[in-house]
Amino acid sequence: MKKIVVKFGGSNLKSKEDIQKIIKTIKGYNRPLVIVVSAFYGITNFLTEGLETVRRDDKHITSMIDFLKSMKKETLDENISDATTREIAYNLIQKRLEELEKYLLGIHYIGEIPDFVEDKVLSYGEKLSSLILSLILKSHGIDAVEAMPEDIGLVTDGAFRNASIDFEKSREPVCKALSEDKIYIIPGFYGVSNDGKVNLLGRGGSDYSAAAITSCIDGESLDVWKDVNGYMSADPRLVPHAVRINKLSYNEAAELSYFGAKILHPRTVEPLLQSEIPVRIFNINNAGIIEPLSIIGNEEQSEKRTLKSVTYSDSFAILRLEGAGVGIKEGILAKVTSMFDDNRINIKSVVTSQTAINIYLESPDLGRALKLLKSNTPHTITSVIPYDNLSIIALVGDDLIHSHGLAYKMIGAVAEQGIDLRIVSIGASDSAAYCVVDRNNKEEAVRVIHKTFFEKRN
Ligand code: ASP
Ligand code: MG
């Protein structure tokens, strides 16, 4: 029988009641499972910030470890009733925290944070989740075992912070290691390089871990539990009458993630496309009810309606490089992009004209990108202008490119509200069209686009 891979994220590991909901859900499946977990809510950020402080101040090591210890103790106290079992669990958590403490001490003594140590330290958020969950499940009579990426052979391409899984190397060992009829609990967010070093899979990457594992074992489905009602035609906080999307395609899910929908990491569908394994989205507030709210699958299974959703992201920024004739001079873009690449700045898109090149970046990278360019400006560029405070709003749906009059309607609807459009793009992929507006106009623009395309017949 094929296995189901279940992913519980940080949003499922936030409140006191969350663990009880997870237990109820696992019991609801009533079958062997492979479970992938994220760090508890906020813990990856806590570790990231801690790293820098620890380098300078060794007292911070104790305060970090004490904080994690008391947090974990509280979770164990709330969820394990038998005192002896609880005592054993405290000791195991204590041991894992001692490992973490050693790496933090190492950072302090060498005064640097080498890549391999950073990735190792950040993996402890997930490693604490998998340990604590397996201990709690066992105390509730569930046959749960922790399975670590380093032990099951989840091998990466060796890149730190943002690695990819090497499927050729991982498939066989992972499949073999997870073959028994048990409940396996795997920490997400990392794999290991050929030489055994921990490599993170990028922020939010435990969705990608779960998808990679599902692909390796040729799972029946990847079930992702969230705290929202699946995919919607718009963010229900902005558009309260948004409707749910029951079925969508892999491309649509990938584009929605890219343009800001927070449901899945953009890389989640990548490993599942080829073997057409579905991703099913559930809400943990319906704990124990195994009925998906949205299902991502191949195009044939997707709902027939062309347009699925309007989404937005506030974390885009634009760097505009101006200069007479930049559009026809060769080599400028190559110079700029390789400089960004060397400094690990991801470029989200590029739009050029004769006198300007617009580079879309993730907002947190804007300051660094600007500094790099100012210190090393290609001579044809006369000014570099950063634009933050923008939002990108995207319409997503397979084959939308062939939807007659779409651009006209989108632009018209926004313009009618008196909102200026900064940039419009249609055709970069068959599944997404977007416009960029000032952030203070975002909400209104999302509402009017939703109204135009989803609330009345056109
Ligand atoms: N804990 C990691 C992060 O916050 C991975 C994840 O949550 O998926 O980025
Ligand atoms: Mg996450």
Side-chain angles (χ1 to χ4, degrees):
M1 184 165 139
K2 284 193 177 189
K3 289 205 168 140
I4 293 181
V5 176
V6 178
K7 150 89 198 317
F8 296 110
S11 66
N12 305 137
L13 292 162
K14 204 161 32 174
S15 72
K16 196 172 158 190
E17 294 75 34
D18 285 340
I19 299 271
Q20 290 304 320
K21 290 183 193 163
I22 290 179
I23 297 172
K24 199 168 162 192
T25 301
I26 293 170
K27 287 189 171 161
Y29 275 100
N30 194 27
R31 59 184 276 177
L33 296 171
V34 174
I35 295 172
V36 177
V37 283
S38 294
F40 275 53
Y41 188 73
I43 293 300
T44 308
N45 286 345
F46 169 81
L47 290 170
T48 309
E49 285 153 21
L51 273 178
E52 212 16 73
T53 318
V54 154
R55 195 167 63 81
R56 288 172 274 116
D57 174 11
D58 62 344
K59 285 188 212 69
H60 194 64
I61 299 176
T62 322
S63 70
M64 277 177 79
I65 297 292
D66 285 351
F67 170 79
L68 290 170
K69 199 186 290 177
S70 72
M71 180 187 172
K72 298 299 160 199
K73 183 172 179 299
E74 204 179 304
T75 310
L76 292 175
D77 290 346
E78 281 160 10
N79 293 290
I80 302 183
S81 51
D82 176 63
T84 322
T85 316
R86 219 164 43 220
E87 202 55 42
I88 296 170
Y90 289 158
N91 287 335
L92 289 168
I93 294 282
Q94 173 68 22
K95 269 204 192 130
R96 193 148 296 177
L97 285 171
E98 279 165 14
E99 287 167 28
L100 170 62
E101 190 171 9
K102 281 187 197 141
Y103 291 108
L104 294 175
L105 274 168
I107 288 174
H108 180 71
Y109 285 117
I110 59 173
E112 268 184 42
I113 315 171
D115 284 343
F116 77 96
V117 183
E118 175 168 343
D119 280 23
K120 181 101 185 182
V121 166
L122 296 189
S123 72
Y124 274 87
E126 271 65 16
K127 281 184 188 165
L128 287 164
S129 289
S130 57
L131 178 58
I132 206 158
L133 191 62
S134 61
L135 292 167
I136 292 172
L137 288 176
K138 257 187 251 165
S139 80
H140 284 255
I142 297 170
D143 182 19
V145 287
E146 217 188 355
M148 311 309 273
E150 53 271 44
D151 298 333
I152 63 173
L154 189 65
V155 179
T156 64
D157 60 1
F160 291 106
R161 286 198 201 100
N162 210 358
S164 298
I165 296 297
D166 183 330
F167 287 95
E168 255 172 54
K169 293 200 178 115
S170 305
R171 196 153 270 132
E172 224 183 278
V174 169
C175 199
K176 215 161 160 194
L178 304 177
S179 60
E180 286 179 34
D181 281 347
K182 288 184 173 165
I183 306 271
Y184 292 99
I185 316 280
I186 305 176
F189 193 29
Y190 75 95
V192 283
S193 62
N194 271 327
D195 57 351
K197 296 217 166 55
V198 165
N199 291 150
L200 298 181
L201 303 171
R203 285 309 304 266
S206 48
D207 285 344
Y208 175 60
S209 318
I213 292 165
T214 313
S215 163
C216 287
I217 66 168
D218 191 27
E220 182 177 316
S221 65
L222 165 60
D223 289 5
V224 180
W225 288 78
K226 308 287 303 177
D227 61 353
V228 294
N229 280 328
Y231 282 92
M232 306 286 286
S233 58
D235 181 342
R237 288 168 303 183
L238 297 193
V239 183
H241 45 282
V243 292
R244 194 164 70 229
I245 313 167
N246 298 316
K247 287 187 177 159
L248 61 161
S249 72
Y250 294 113
N251 275 350
E252 288 168 339
E255 294 288 5
L256 283 171
S257 299
Y258 187 77
F259 288 109
K262 299 250 158 37
I263 308 240
L264 289 180
H265 186 275
R267 296 192 71 184
T268 314
V269 298
E270 217 178 280
L272 305 172
L273 281 168
Q274 212 183 356
S275 34
E276 300 196 346
I277 301 172
V279 184
R280 311 192 301 168
I281 312 291
F282 298 83
N283 187 342
I284 197 75
N285 297 312
N286 308 330
I289 304 172
I290 318 299
E291 278 168 24
L293 296 165
S294 299
I295 302 178
I296 304 164
N298 61 26
E299 255 175 74
E300 284 77 63
Q301 286 155 6
S302 157
E303 275 173 31
K304 288 299 160 251
R305 174 158 67 87
T306 303
L307 292 176
K308 296 298 193 311
S309 184
V310 50
T311 187
Y312 65 88
S313 171
D314 291 341
S315 66
F316 275 74
I318 294 177
L319 202 53
R320 175 171 291 176
L321 319 181
E322 290 181 340
V326 288
I328 50 159
K329 285 189 188 126
E330 68 285 353
I332 303 173
L333 200 52
K335 216 178 251 166
V336 175
T337 52
S338 53
M339 183 158 69
F340 286 177
D341 189 32
D342 291 344
N343 288 277
R344 298 211 231 180
I345 293 176
N346 184 28
I347 295 172
K348 307 273 291 188
S349 187
V350 179
V351 181
T352 64
S353 77
Q354 172 69 345
T355 59
I357 298 177
N358 295 275
I359 304 180
Y360 290 43
L361 304 166
E362 283 161 41
S363 297
D365 290 336
L366 183 65
R368 235 162 23 99
L370 184 62
K371 233 185 186 167
L372 276 169
L373 261 178
K374 291 229 153 135
S375 63
N376 197 0
T377 316
H379 66 273
T380 28
I381 292 170
T382 46
S383 56
V384 182
I385 312 163
Y387 293 97
D388 215 344
N389 276 323
L390 299 173
S391 293
I392 194 158
I393 302 175
L395 259 174
V396 172
D398 277 335
D399 215 23
L400 117 182
I401 197 79
H402 296 118
S403 164
H404 181 72
L406 177 125
Y408 163 79
K409 276 183 220 155
M410 179 169 83
I411 297 169
V414 177
E416 236 172 69
Q417 302 300 305
I419 297 172
D420 285 339
L421 289 162
R422 297 301 200 97
I423 294 181
V424 176
S425 165
I426 291 164
S429 92
D430 284 356
S431 318
Y434 68 77
C435 58
V436 175
V437 299
D438 287 338
R439 195 166 299 162
N440 57 3
N441 290 326
K442 168 194 73 189
E443 299 197 3
E444 212 183 334
V446 168
R447 283 192 200 106
V448 73
I449 293 176
H450 189 270
K451 192 165 174 196
T452 306
F453 289 98
F454 298 94
E455 294 171 44
K456 57 183 181 202
R457 297 227 148 260
N458 287 284

